[in-house]
Amino acid sequence: MFRLTQHFAKVTVTIMFGCLWGCTETTFEKIFSTDHFDYYLEQGATPPCDDTGLWLERYYHANAKFFGVELSAGKKIEYYRVGNNETLTSECGPHLGGCTKETKVYIGSPINAHEIVHANAYLLGDPPLLFQEGLAVILGCELGSDSSGPLDLSETIEDLIESSSFAEQRESRGSAMYRTSASFVRYLIDTFGVEKFLAFYASASRDSTYDETCAIFQKKMGARLDDAFADWRKLPPTLPGDVCLRLMDCGEDIPELADGEVHTACGPSGGFLSFQEALRRFHITEGKTLQVEMTPSVTQPQPITTVSFFRCAGGNVTGYADDVADFRYKKNQGWYVDPTRATRRFIFDVPAGDYVAWFSARAETAIYTEVNQSSGPMRTGCATANEPLVLRHDDDVVLTSRWRERPCIGFWCPGHSWDVQVGPTGGTIALSSVISNGQIPFAPNKVYLCSKPCPAYPDECEVITLDPQSQIRPISKQEFAPGTVVHIGAPLTPFEDHFSLRMRLIPPCNGNVPCVEPWHGPR
Ligand SMILES: [Zn+2]
């Protein structure tokens, strides 16, 4: 789908920027062209990584499919990678970190999903800024991970329907209302459907008055804008991952996550901040649980490789970027993979659908992956799970569940009860969860280890407390024989629909077997 149409050995373009903020003469060099982009680099700016054109084309195609419009023949999106703030200010004004004018993008980063959305969207329409920015944030997936907590949606965007008010507020208060606008636009798409929203997007005008926009909204969406705002305020999408809609990353030409090796290389960020990346799609079948096992290749120096999992239709899976193994640090040696915990297994008990794994490292590296589907370790009632999760002495397990529909049974809550089987070494069970801002947002503060699958009272079980302030990771006081099935349960977590807990088996030690330190460091 992508080919270099021309090579530009040295074509420089001198641009006189619009004189609103003072005229500046800047030199850009066109460094490559693809079917739909001309890519310019400002003198002094760092060139993007080699496959940048390929990723730009992927963004373009995913957006064009969503909007249902293509560039007319011979036209291209001009992407200007800006190298200094003065140039950015002279083109975008003093309040913006980047901007897109019709189909010309001005930005410091080598690939910017948000600005490319603007260029694609311009082919469809030019509605009030609130809808333009809200949609670009949704499709640009830029709100961060869920571990930063629910979005602050307190900006009164109801007053910012006219583009002049939106721009004025942006100048005085920055872009805080972007995320609020994104939450509202996401609500509109989910409630009225993409088709109606895009029909509105195509007909509304950036310069319309409040009343004119209301009229077009009512005509295209079949509802009053005021009512839509009121309904959205009752139950707005609040987690960063839930607002995002992943198009490019879930495209058909992104390879599937399978047994084999994943190599990080020039990725969808264009090597920004020296990140090398890899994307892999995967599907979760209704009623099934997916297990993904990861083992990074051992190199010197060792790049720490992280992986995030996203649902294509919106939603973070684990809610944060997790390391693909247990990395440790030694003075004089730097980071290395702990050979006794070189593998990490991710278990997903999440709604059926399409997902993507996003790998990220500061250098090219490889990760061996193994993918298995099972009926899973979760209990939906009082019966033992069909396939308890086997805990081994040589890996970490991250169990993630994002079910809200299951009812609580006593103190067992939705998606919060599962069974584990102790591996051949026997041992005790250690638990941990990601700590963010002094809190454990995705795990409960208590976990129950029980010998019965459905005890009537928590005091029939060993209660393990997860304390975000404590540096010591909690460990069960029990030593379990090989093959023991332990029934685990937990109350709801602070983010009620999110659940992600790390578990590991610590084998017994004696005079012949040295004691592994119980549970080290935060990584
Ligand atoms: Zn924007």
Side-chain angles (χ1 to χ4, degrees), residues 330-350:
K330 232 185 228 169
K331 223 179 163 187
N332 306 325
Q333 185 186 339
W335 289 102
Y336 67 99
V337 176
D338 179 352
T340 66
R341 302 281 177 181
T343 295
R344 187 158 285 177
R345 272 185 293 154
F346 295 89
I347 319 289
F348 301 129
D349 167 56
V350 291

Side-chain angles (χ1 to χ4, degrees), residues 98 114-115 118 132-133 136 170 178:
H114 176 113
E115 299 302 337
H118 280 316
Q132 296 200 22
E133 296 304 344
R170 180 166 63 189
Y178 275 38

Side-chain angles (χ1 to χ4, degrees), residues 193-233:
V194 173
E195 213 171 295
K196 279 188 181 170
F197 176 73
L198 292 182
F200 163 72
Y201 197 99
S203 323
S205 167
R206 175 196 289 252
D207 300 323
S208 292
T209 61
Y210 176 81
D211 288 341
E212 285 164 353
T213 302
C214 285
I216 296 170
F217 188 91
Q218 175 129 29
K219 192 171 163 204
K220 298 293 178 184
M221 308 282 273
R224 291 182 61 236
L225 184 54
D226 284 357
D227 292 342
F229 272 124
D231 285 345
W232 158 69
R233 282 287 181 196

Side-chain angles (χ1 to χ4, degrees), residues 9 14 42 48 101 115 152 184 187 190 213 323 366 387 453 498:
T14 302
E42 186 172 4
K101 295 179 168 181
E115 299 302 337
D152 174 1
F184 178 58
Y187 162 83
D190 290 347
T213 302
D323 296 346
E387 293 184 56
H498 252 301

Side-chain angles (χ1 to χ4, degrees), residues 144-260:
S145 75
D146 286 359
S147 58
S148 51
L151 300 167
D152 174 1
L153 303 177
S154 58
E155 297 286 325
T156 321
I157 58 165
E158 288 87 338
D159 301 336
L160 305 178
I161 291 297
E162 292 188 1
S163 295
S164 54
S165 323
F166 192 93
E168 216 170 88
Q169 177 111 334
R170 180 166 63 189
E171 276 177 35
S172 61
R173 302 174 55 128
S175 54
M177 70 284 207
Y178 275 38
R179 56 174 178 254
T180 316
S181 306
S183 171
F184 178 58
V185 172
R186 179 74 214 223
Y187 162 83
L188 294 180
I189 290 174
D190 290 347
T191 308
F192 298 94
V194 173
E195 213 171 295
K196 279 188 181 170
F197 176 73
L198 292 182
F200 163 72
Y201 197 99
S203 323
S205 167
R206 175 196 289 252
D207 300 323
S208 292
T209 61
Y210 176 81
D211 288 341
E212 285 164 353
T213 302
C214 285
I216 296 170
F217 188 91
Q218 175 129 29
K219 192 171 163 204
K220 298 293 178 184
M221 308 282 273
R224 291 182 61 236
L225 184 54
D226 284 357
D227 292 342
F229 272 124
D231 285 345
W232 158 69
R233 282 287 181 196
K234 285 178 202 155
L235 206 62
T238 53
L239 286 177
D242 292 353
V243 171
C244 160
L245 188 56
R246 294 187 177 272
L247 301 180
M248 183 286 291
D249 355 354
C250 291
E252 280 167 10
D253 64 337
I254 300 297
E256 298 226 7
L257 185 64
D259 295 357

Side-chain angles (χ1 to χ4, degrees), residues 462-485:
E462 180 184 1
V463 182
I464 294 184
T465 304
L466 294 172
D467 176 6
Q469 309 305 330
S470 170
Q471 291 300 310
I472 300 162
R473 311 301 166 104
I475 300 172
S476 165
K477 291 185 175 64
Q478 303 177 71
E479 186 98 2
F480 299 100
T484 308
V485 172

Side-chain angles (χ1 to χ4, degrees), residues 300-313:
Q300 185 60 30
Q302 181 77 52
I304 294 177
T305 314
T306 63
V307 61
S308 301
F309 301 97
F310 305 108
R311 189 183 187 194
C312 295

